[in-house]
Amino acid sequence: MYNLIGAGLIVIGAGIGLGQIGGKAMEGIARQPEATGKIQTAMIIIAALLEGLAFGALFLGK
Amino acid sequence: MKIAQKSIKFILIVALALFTSVNYAVISDQNHGNQNDGGRVNTKEEVEAYILHHIKDSHDFSLFSYTSDEGERKHIGFPLPVIIWTSEGLVTFMSSEFHHNDDGHVIVEKNGLKFAKIHSKIYELNKEASEVTFDETHHATNAHKVLDFSITKSVVGVLFIGFLLLFWFSRLAKQYKTQKIPTGFARVLEPLVLYVRDEIAKPNIGEKHYRRFTGYLLTVFFFIWTLNLSGLTPLGFNVTGQLAVTGCLAIFTLVIYSVSGTKGYWMHMIWMPGVPVLIRPVLAIIELAGALLIKPFSLLVRLFANISAGHIVVMSLIAIMFTLKESLGVVGATGLSLVLSFFITLIEVLVAFLQAYIFTMLSALFIGMAVEDHAEHH
């Protein structure tokens, strides 16, 4: 029961985080379209780190 | 001409994706070599058991199975060798001797020892026991696990992809000796190699050191990518969804960046300069845990969870055609599951690339942190 609530919290947190990353990256690209490549790379790395954390927590809480 | 080529390409992609989904469906309809062997997959519990069985590694390579008109279960596939290290030494036999049984009812006798297969694991029975007994939590009480070096389905996948990559890339390398531009399939591989070198290795590791590590990064990238893609074919490999495989890859990265770490890197980790002395041990604990545990653990879990989750989603969507048969009708349920699994398979093709890219990228990043020169700071 509690681990299910925990899993839900993890997913909510990860969702907020991913939204922030994606949104800010979009803003950055809109401001400086010539830096698209660099912003995308950084975005993917941070998203991957966040995802790793979320999966790790889900995995441990399973 | 160009338009024709484009539409042919489109048709081919659609056909391939449909073929994949339909084949999955055939497999999930018929291949159910599990404890409820003989029945079709109809209820939610059966679907769940089937999917969990698929996610796990297995001792025989079964392509599909069906129930014949006489009610007999037929398995199409081939057996794989079982190699186990027991108390009496090495024992080998073919997995076909278990007759696709997975709940410990078929006992194989070899060298005076008795073996049973329970949930894809080989158990050695105690000396006096003649059949496996279970306690109420379904754990075997009179049998124990053995060291298993079998050529399982995942091992077949790794070997197959390994030889395929060896063949492709040795041909690519050979072609540079006689000509400037590679021909044939090697022309597809060349830009990918350059992409990994110029977009992943060079910016993350730096001009000075990237050459040493490009080989490893290329190997990891193509290994993970092709294995991920092979998981989407009807062969049903789930190699990169095995903790052992991803754990091994993560340990490779860990060893490489730990061994090639400069003195500055380790000094910054163990005895951080420019920080009050009292805080240094605390920082050292955090930094060491981060470098030696959390980094490889996140690499391991990310790949495993993504690929396993992808397989579970694809198979669950295919299972719609069985679970929603009553409420939507056969045509409705089949159509819904075909549409959904078609698009999710396309997304999985993207995920297959993305996960390989991220694993390689993060490995390059960690290596880059370890080998960069710290001298210019402070």
Side-chain angles (χ1 to χ4, degrees):
Chain A
M1 183 63 199
Y2 290 115
N3 55 3
L4 290 181
I5 296 172
L9 287 176
I10 294 162
V11 173
I12 290 172
I16 293 171
L18 274 177
Q20 289 270 334
I21 296 165
K24 298 285 180 197
M26 287 282 169
E27 278 173 24
I29 291 171
R31 274 200 205 122
Q32 277 184 305
E34 68 275 7
T36 308
K38 276 185 184 171
I39 293 174
Q40 265 172 355
T41 313
M43 181 184 79
I44 290 175
I45 290 174
I46 297 168
L49 289 172
L50 171 77
E51 193 192 46
L53 191 76
F55 273 135
L58 278 179
F59 186 70
L60 289 178
K62 191 178 69 175
Chain B
M1 192 58 209
K2 221 170 188 179
I3 296 167
Q5 261 182 4
K6 258 190 185 165
S7 54
I8 288 172
K9 249 188 227 164
F10 180 71
I11 291 167
L12 276 178
I13 290 171
V14 170
L16 189 70
L18 279 180
F19 175 74
T20 325
S21 329
V22 169
N23 262 289
Y24 254 129
V26 170
I27 294 167
S28 47
D29 183 17
Q30 294 171 333
N31 175 7
H32 188 233
N34 213 349
Q35 52 265 50
N36 338 323
D37 202 299
R40 284 175 167 251
V41 184
N42 275 318
T43 63
K44 269 185 189 155
E45 290 75 38
E46 282 172 345
V47 168
E48 213 179 298
Y50 177 77
I51 292 174
L52 288 179
H53 182 76
H54 163 84
I55 291 298
K56 277 200 290 187
D57 202 358
S58 109
H59 276 91
D60 35 24
F61 200 117
S62 99
L63 294 168
F64 63 93
S65 60
Y66 60 95
T67 311
S68 67
D69 293 337
E70 291 86 49
E72 199 191 343
R73 199 82 183 136
K74 300 252 192 223
H75 293 267
I76 309 296
F78 42 92
L80 297 167
V82 174
I83 305 162
I84 37 187
W85 183 258
T86 63
S87 46
E88 314 246 316
L90 205 64
V91 177
T92 55
F93 53 93
M94 292 306 274
S95 68
S96 54
E97 298 197 29
F98 285 118
H99 299 290
H100 298 277
N101 178 283
D102 204 29
D103 52 6
H105 285 314
V106 176
I107 311 286
V108 175
E109 274 206 64
K110 282 274 136 62
N111 299 7
L113 296 166
K114 302 190 195 81
F115 302 101
K117 185 154 71 89
I118 307 162
H119 296 298
S120 306
K121 293 262 175 352
I122 310 267
Y123 285 75
E124 182 190 336
L125 270 70
N126 296 348
K127 281 268 147 47
E128 63 280 5
S130 59
E131 63 178 30
V132 189
T133 50
F134 296 99
D135 58 10
E136 56 271 17
T137 49
H138 206 74
H139 288 296
T141 49
N142 61 349
H144 57 90
K145 280 184 194 167
V146 285
L147 267 182
D148 194 346
F149 300 102
S150 305
I151 310 289
T152 58
K153 197 175 172 183
S154 294
V155 178
V156 171
V158 169
L159 290 175
F160 172 65
I161 293 298
F163 280 116
L164 196 69
L165 290 182
L166 195 65
F167 173 68
W168 282 348
F169 285 99
S170 54
R171 263 189 52 192
L172 173 64
K174 229 180 267 162
Q175 286 187 359
Y176 285 115
K177 280 184 188 155
T178 49
Q179 65 217 63
K180 268 219 159 93
I181 304 166
T183 51
F185 187 66
R187 208 174 267 189
V188 180
L189 298 171
E190 194 198 49
L192 289 165
V193 173
L194 291 182
Y195 175 78
V196 173
R197 191 193 69 184
D198 294 340
E199 303 294 324
I200 298 179
K202 226 184 242 178
N204 287 307
I205 303 180
E207 282 290 336
K208 212 169 136 194
H209 300 287
Y210 80 93
R211 274 180 175 278
R212 271 195 289 158
F213 304 104
T214 309
Y216 171 69
L217 294 175
L218 281 169
T219 313
V220 156
F221 177 79
F222 284 102
F223 184 71
I224 296 177
W225 190 28
T226 39
L227 275 177
N228 285 350
L229 286 178
S230 79
L232 295 173
T233 61
L235 292 175
F237 287 126
N238 183 28
V239 183
T240 34
Q242 305 291 339
L243 275 177
V245 175
T246 58
C248 225
L249 290 171
I251 288 171
F252 286 161
T253 301
L254 169 69
V255 168
I256 285 177
Y257 73 70
S258 298
V259 168
S260 55
T262 55
K263 201 181 154 206
Y265 167 75
W266 286 106
M267 279 311 288
H268 273 72
M269 203 151 36
I270 296 164
W271 207 243
M272 180 77 87
V275 176
V277 177
L278 280 177
I279 300 184
R280 287 184 188 185
V282 182
L283 267 180
I285 293 169
I286 297 172
E287 290 271 341
L288 279 174
L292 299 179
L293 283 176
I294 299 170
K295 276 177 187 174
F297 185 74
S298 73
L299 279 180
L300 173 171
V301 170
R302 181 180 307 107
L303 184 58
F304 160 76
N306 266 295
I307 301 305
S308 291
H311 278 246
I312 291 172
V313 169
V314 170
M315 296 189 77
S316 310
L317 288 176
I318 288 163
I320 282 179
M321 76 174 77
F322 308 111
T323 50
L324 293 184
K325 202 158 53 183
E326 271 80 43
S327 49
L328 291 176
V330 174
V331 177
T334 312
L336 182 68
S337 105
L338 193 65
V339 170
L340 290 178
S341 54
F342 170 63
F343 285 110
I344 213 76
T345 309
L346 286 186
I347 292 176
E348 282 305 311
V349 174
L350 177 73
V351 169
F353 175 79
L354 204 63
Q355 288 310 315
Y357 170 75
I358 285 174
F359 195 100
T360 319
M361 176 69 123
L362 289 176
S363 295
L365 204 68
F366 296 157
I367 294 171
M369 284 166 154
V371 297
E372 80 178 331
D373 300 321
H374 280 272
E376 64 266 27
H377 303 322
H378 39 254

